[in-house]
């Protein structure tokens, strides 16, 4: 089953500049593992050291927040889209 | 603190329009969705804009033009040249002026019939409730996490809608928080990202049109809230991808366990938002790490003496194209795997735009065993100021 994971702009630098990637996965968690296995740098941006999704990263299955579904155990079906929505504050981060 | 363009009208609601106003707003008045009733609602409405920058520009212009009777503008910043690429309220003549003052002049000229109150101050936990209490709708056009959480919490405490918009490079988000039935910002993001994990400098920047579009969406939502018309974005996060030219929306739910708006909320007053977000209070924090430094003048003197120094530029290739100091380019992110390009027996001076990324590079290289390495304090910006003004600042 193929699931598309949308990678938001702030995290594309850690994902080979890709804006999305497809994985064969039966749950949201499996798709996210596929993503962080392919792009290891992404792991620390998405997960805490003890392996929990970070509080400022929201994950949606289609248009629904997985916190209100079965979290990472939420089952996926062919053609589903998973979106990672990190908080963005606004203007420029120039330094 | 407040300065006002017109005398306060107090609590008296205006119940009619002048003939001049009828002419000005005729394209609203002939629409049944607005009409005279709607236009009077706009005239009696009080909207507070937090930030007069990128998002604040279309917000201020459209809300003033639409006839929102009282506009409050909060900003402590001064117009600079890098603002003009997107902050279309301002002209070249405004560079150096306080943003609130320049915006008041522009919006007052656009619509002399509205009251514009300017607050040339930083929004803080001490003044937010006092500032917000006189307004019906709060519009968040800020650019940092501490102020976002502050605007959210103050809006929830006072029960006022918070029209939210934010942008990043080619992407925008917009929604309406703070309605009794809807979620707040903390329902969506209970905690801010730790400072080390916000997108890196190389990922910064914003396409100038983007805040124009997102700020216009906020202006539209504000007007709909005032009119009580249509379906607003409460409970929906609108995502805009300018490169793909796609709009999407996600469901936002009110979190029953939200610390701010949940049933058993734990936050009952404003807090220290800089501490909450783990950032220092001032705008230009120094490098995160302490490393040996060299000033631009010292570097110039040593180069003039003919000392052999290896200049390492850790910016991105597109920044190198803007200007450079003839250094060897290895972007910070590539440094770990390109370390072999460097000779640890040479004296190395690392630099970036402002000295922050290069401080990280120096820290990394010192840990990798490099001993003769220094950071150029203040980066290219300081080099341009202190040594060679022909090098452009960006
Ligand atoms: Zn909430």
């Amino acid at each position: 089953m193929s699931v598309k994971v949308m990678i938001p702009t702030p995290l594309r630098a850690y994902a080979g500049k890709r804006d999305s990637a497809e994985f064969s996965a039966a749950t949201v968690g499996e798709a996210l593992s596929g993503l962080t296995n392919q792009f290891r740098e992404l792991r620390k941006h998405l997960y805490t050291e003890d392996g929990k999704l970070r509080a400022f990263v929201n994950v949606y299955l289609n248009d629904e927040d997985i916190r209100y579904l079965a979290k990472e155990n939420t089952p996926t079906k062919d053609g589903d889209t998973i979106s990672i929505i990190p908080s963005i504050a606004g203007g420029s981060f120039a330094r | 603190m407040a300065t006002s363009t017109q005398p306060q009208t107090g609590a008296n609601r205006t119940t009619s329009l002048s003939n001049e106003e009828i002419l000005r707003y005729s394209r609203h008045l002939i629409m049944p969705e607005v009409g005279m009733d709607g236009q009077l609602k706009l005239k009696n409405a009080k909207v507070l804009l937090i930030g007069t920058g990128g998002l604040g520009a279309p917000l201020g212009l459209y809300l003033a033009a639409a006839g929102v009777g009282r506009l409050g503008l909060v900003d402590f910043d001064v117009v600079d040249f890098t603002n003009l690429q997107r902050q279309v309220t301002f002209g070249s003549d405004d560079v150096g002026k306080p943003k609130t003052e320049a915006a008041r002049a522009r919006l007052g000229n656009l619509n002399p019939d509205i009251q514009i109150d300017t607050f040339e101050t930083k929004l803080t936990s001490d003044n937010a409730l006092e500032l917000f209490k006189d307004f019906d709708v709060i519009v968040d056009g800020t650019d940092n996490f501490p102020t976002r959480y502050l605007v959210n919490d103050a809006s929830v405490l006072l029960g006022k809608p918070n029209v939210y918009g934010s942008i990043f490079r080619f992407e925008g988000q917009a929604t309406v928080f703070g309605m009794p039935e809807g979620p707040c910002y903390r329902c969506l993001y209970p905690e801010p990202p730790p400072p080390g994990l916000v997108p890196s400098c190389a990922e910064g920047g914003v396409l100038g049109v983007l805040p124009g579009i997102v700020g216009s969406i906020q202006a539209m939502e504000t007007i709909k809230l005032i009119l009580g018309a249509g379906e607003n974005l409460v409970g929906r996060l609108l995502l805009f991808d300018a490169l793909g030219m796609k709009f999407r929306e996600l469901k936002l739910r009110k979190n029953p366990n939200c610390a701010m708006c949940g049933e058993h909320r734990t936050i009952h007053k404003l807090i220290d938002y800089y501490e909450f977000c783990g950032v220092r209070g001032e705008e230009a924090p120094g490098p995160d790490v302490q490393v040996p430094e060299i000033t631009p003048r010292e570097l110039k003197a040593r180069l003039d003496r003919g000392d052999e120094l290896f200049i390492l530029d850790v910016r991105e290739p597109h920044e190198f194209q803007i200007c450079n100091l003839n250094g060897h380019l290895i972007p910070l992110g590539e440094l770990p795997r390109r370390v072999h390009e460097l000779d640890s027996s040479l004296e190395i001076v690392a630099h970036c735009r402002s000295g922050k990324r290069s401080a990280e590079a120096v820290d990394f290289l010192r840990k990798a065993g490099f001993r003769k390495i220094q950071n150029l304090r203040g980066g290219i910006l300081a080099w341009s100021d202190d040594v060679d003004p022909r090098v452009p600042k960006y």
Side-chain angles (χ1 to χ4, degrees):
Chain A
M1 281 187 295
S2 179
V3 178
K4 187 175 186 178
V5 181
M6 307 287 286
I7 303 161
T9 313
L11 297 182
R12 283 180 200 161
Y14 314 105
K17 312 217 160 138
R18 300 269 296 273
D19 61 358
S20 67
E22 301 221 0
F23 299 95
S24 162
T27 63
V28 170
E30 280 181 25
L32 293 178
S33 306
L35 182 72
T36 52
N37 286 337
Q38 185 175 345
F39 304 109
R40 299 210 160 260
E41 269 284 276
L42 263 182
R43 176 158 281 275
K44 74 167 195 253
H45 293 269
L46 295 182
Y47 293 98
T48 58
E49 269 155 37
D50 48 350
K52 285 212 287 250
L53 264 178
R54 290 185 177 276
F56 62 92
V57 175
N58 288 346
V59 177
Y60 287 78
L61 177 63
N62 301 320
D63 67 346
E64 188 66 78
D65 190 333
I66 62 164
R67 281 186 293 177
Y68 300 105
L69 300 170
K71 304 197 173 148
E72 284 152 281
N73 297 322
T74 307
T76 52
K77 53 184 194 318
D78 202 33
D80 274 349
T81 299
I82 294 171
S83 306
I84 300 166
I85 311 288
S87 41
I88 55 173
S92 107
F93 296 95
R95 56 175 177 160
Chain B
M1 178 166 56
T3 42
S4 190
T5 48
Q6 286 191 351
Q8 294 267 355
T9 45
N12 303 331
R13 281 185 66 85
T14 311
T15 52
S16 66
L17 297 178
S18 68
N19 285 2
E20 228 175 81
E21 287 174 303
I22 288 172
L23 194 57
R24 175 182 285 269
Y25 304 123
S26 68
R27 294 302 181 275
H28 275 167
L29 297 171
I30 58 178
M31 286 172 72
E33 293 81 359
V34 185
M36 182 59 83
D37 272 359
Q39 195 62 51
L40 287 169
K41 283 182 187 166
L42 289 169
K43 191 176 168 75
N44 286 297
K46 295 165 282 188
V47 176
L48 185 65
L49 304 186
I50 316 297
T52 58
L55 296 169
L59 275 161
L61 291 166
Y62 278 118
L63 295 179
V68 169
R70 184 176 170 206
L71 273 183
L73 310 175
V74 184
D75 209 316
F76 64 93
D77 211 355
V78 168
V79 182
D80 78 44
F81 272 106
T82 68
N83 298 149
L84 302 178
Q85 163 260 16
R86 64 197 177 285
Q87 301 182 11
V88 295
T89 321
F90 310 126
S92 302
D93 291 348
D94 293 321
V95 171
K97 291 183 193 162
K99 287 187 176 179
T100 47
E101 189 187 297
R104 188 230 297 268
R106 173 77 180 92
L107 303 183
N109 177 267
L110 177 59
N111 192 343
D113 296 325
I114 61 170
Q115 177 181 325
I116 300 168
D117 296 334
T118 56
F119 306 93
E120 195 188 337
T121 178
K122 204 174 168 108
L123 188 73
T124 67
S125 302
D126 293 328
N127 64 17
L129 295 174
E130 186 62 26
L131 277 172
F132 285 20
K133 75 173 176 14
D134 292 336
F135 292 87
D136 311 318
V137 182
I138 312 300
V139 188
D140 185 349
T142 57
D143 61 0
N144 61 81
F145 287 109
T147 316
R148 295 258 181 219
Y149 281 94
L150 168 57
V151 170
N152 179 70
D153 292 1
S155 303
V156 173
L157 285 174
L158 295 172
K160 294 182 193 277
N162 165 17
V163 183
Y164 172 91
S166 75
I167 50 171
F168 185 77
R169 296 188 84 192
F170 294 101
E171 282 188 358
Q173 303 180 347
T175 189
V176 176
F177 290 123
M179 299 292 273
E181 72 282 11
C184 80
Y185 185 55
R186 284 183 189 261
C187 293
L188 180 59
Y189 295 113
E191 290 169 20
L197 282 176
V198 295
S200 79
C201 42
E203 293 294 300
V206 61
L207 196 76
V209 189
L210 181 64
I213 294 170
V214 176
S216 297
I217 290 169
Q218 289 176 278
M220 182 64 93
E221 291 301 298
T222 303
I223 287 174
K224 281 159 55 190
L225 284 172
I226 295 166
L227 297 178
E231 267 180 61
N232 54 42
L233 282 174
V234 175
R236 295 185 287 152
L237 181 68
L238 186 70
L239 303 178
F240 173 54
D241 165 13
L243 270 191
M245 200 45 86
K246 284 193 183 110
F247 283 94
R248 293 197 299 145
E249 66 174 74
L250 303 174
K251 287 197 190 103
L252 291 188
R253 294 187 186 274
K254 193 176 174 80
N255 178 358
N257 302 318
C258 177
M260 192 67 219
C261 75
E263 269 170 56
H264 307 288
R265 53 188 260 216
T266 53
I267 304 167
H268 298 276
K269 59 179 173 48
L270 300 179
I271 58 171
D272 181 337
Y273 293 88
Y274 285 95
E275 194 191 317
F276 175 59
C277 295
V279 292
R280 280 164 293 235
E282 281 323 302
E283 303 85 64
D288 293 329
V289 284
Q290 290 304 315
V291 294
E293 287 187 322
I294 182 168
T295 67
R297 287 204 181 91
E298 286 161 8
L299 175 60
K300 175 75 165 64
R302 292 202 52 193
L303 290 170
D304 287 349
R305 274 209 308 268
D307 289 358
E308 214 165 302
L309 295 169
F310 184 89
I311 309 290
L312 170 66
D313 187 337
V314 300
R315 298 174 302 154
E316 299 296 309
H318 62 269
E319 296 180 83
F320 193 85
Q321 284 177 352
I322 302 170
C323 58
N324 63 74
L325 306 180
N326 281 322
H328 181 80
L329 180 68
I330 305 182
L332 180 61
E334 296 176 15
L335 199 52
R337 61 186 155 84
R338 291 179 60 186
V339 123
H340 63 271
E341 292 174 33
L342 302 171
D343 179 348
S344 62
S345 70
L346 294 178
E347 235 184 293
I348 300 175
V349 174
H351 82 84
C352 63
R353 190 184 77 105
S354 72
K356 214 173 158 191
R357 273 175 281 172
S358 48
E360 280 177 44
V362 170
D363 187 51
F364 169 79
L365 290 170
R366 277 162 58 86
K367 285 175 185 152
F370 287 75
R371 285 290 162 264
K372 296 193 283 180
I373 180 157
Q374 288 175 293
N375 184 28
L376 179 64
R377 184 190 293 171
I380 289 238
L381 295 176
W383 180 269
S384 175
D385 281 338
D386 299 345
V387 172
D388 186 359
R390 289 171 307 172
V391 173
K393 293 197 273 191
Y394 64 96

